[in-house]
Amino acid sequence: STIYQEFQGIFRAIRESPVPIIAAVDGAAVGFGCDLSLAGNITFMGNNGWLAQGWMKAGLIPATGGTYYVAQRAGEAAVWKLLAAERVDAATAESWGLATASVEARTAALEFAMKLAAMPRKPLRALMQLTRTSDYEAHLRRALDYQTTFITDPEFARLAAKLLAR
């Protein structure tokens, strides 16, 4: 059980990251690798990428949170589809809502990361927190608090002027 507690620590750190975690799958992501590829915020899967949740075939369960990540991304039905599948290719993963299909996952993930890196840090971190707030009213209260802070920040005036100058 100690080793799984250590592994779960990795997944907790991913979940608590203040910035989006982007995964790229250009080969096999099986069991732990499958869980890891789905633990972040977005997963890109290339033409050679595939997922398999091999835990059940070995008489185990996805104890590092794999069931949770699949259900959060694509609903409960996707949990059972993934468990029953031999391999889930990029197109199927995208159709289920698990990943974004691309020719090369690494390239797509890096391009996406560059777009996120160009965004203002404070709102990006706020959005990370909002994506973790499942209660609608709490989400709206928190969003209002963030927006009130951002709209009075001189950075907003600078960025707004830049947008309007285009």
Side-chain angles (χ1 to χ4, degrees):
S1 100
T2 303
I3 194 163
Y4 273 97
Q5 289 174 350
E6 294 294 323
F7 286 155
Q8 286 178 351
I10 294 167
F11 289 88
R12 285 186 180 96
I14 290 169
R15 175 133 174 93
E16 296 304 315
S17 172
V19 295
I21 300 293
I22 303 164
V25 179
D26 277 317
V30 180
F32 183 88
C34 181
D35 293 354
L36 191 58
S37 73
L38 298 175
N41 303 96
I42 187 167
T43 302
F44 290 91
M45 283 185 65
N47 288 341
N48 296 321
W50 57 276
L51 303 173
Q53 196 54 276
W55 297 110
M56 293 292 282
K57 289 182 177 121
L60 300 171
I61 62 169
T64 51
T67 303
Y68 177 84
Y69 311 126
V70 174
Q72 289 296 303
R73 285 188 183 205
E76 184 181 334
V79 170
W80 305 112
K81 289 179 189 178
L82 181 59
L83 286 173
E86 288 295 320
R87 288 184 177 198
V88 176
D89 64 16
T92 302
E94 183 170 66
S95 74
W96 292 354
L98 294 176
T100 300
S102 55
V103 176
E104 289 184 357
R106 184 176 184 275
T107 300
L110 288 171
E111 288 172 1
F112 189 77
M114 294 303 292
K115 289 177 183 179
L116 292 181
M119 293 179 183
R121 293 288 181 267
K122 291 177 188 175
L124 186 64
R125 288 180 178 195
L127 282 175
M128 283 297 299
Q129 291 303 314
L130 289 172
T131 63
R132 295 176 179 145
T133 306
S134 58
D135 177 80
Y136 181 68
E137 289 302 322
H139 180 96
L140 290 178
R141 283 191 303 277
R142 198 170 211 177
L144 181 59
D145 289 344
Y146 283 130
Q147 196 74 326
T148 302
T149 301
F150 296 149
I151 208 160
T152 59
D153 189 323
E155 181 69 0
F156 166 71
R158 185 186 74 74
L159 291 171
K162 185 178 172 183
L163 283 172
L164 293 172
R166 289 183 180 178

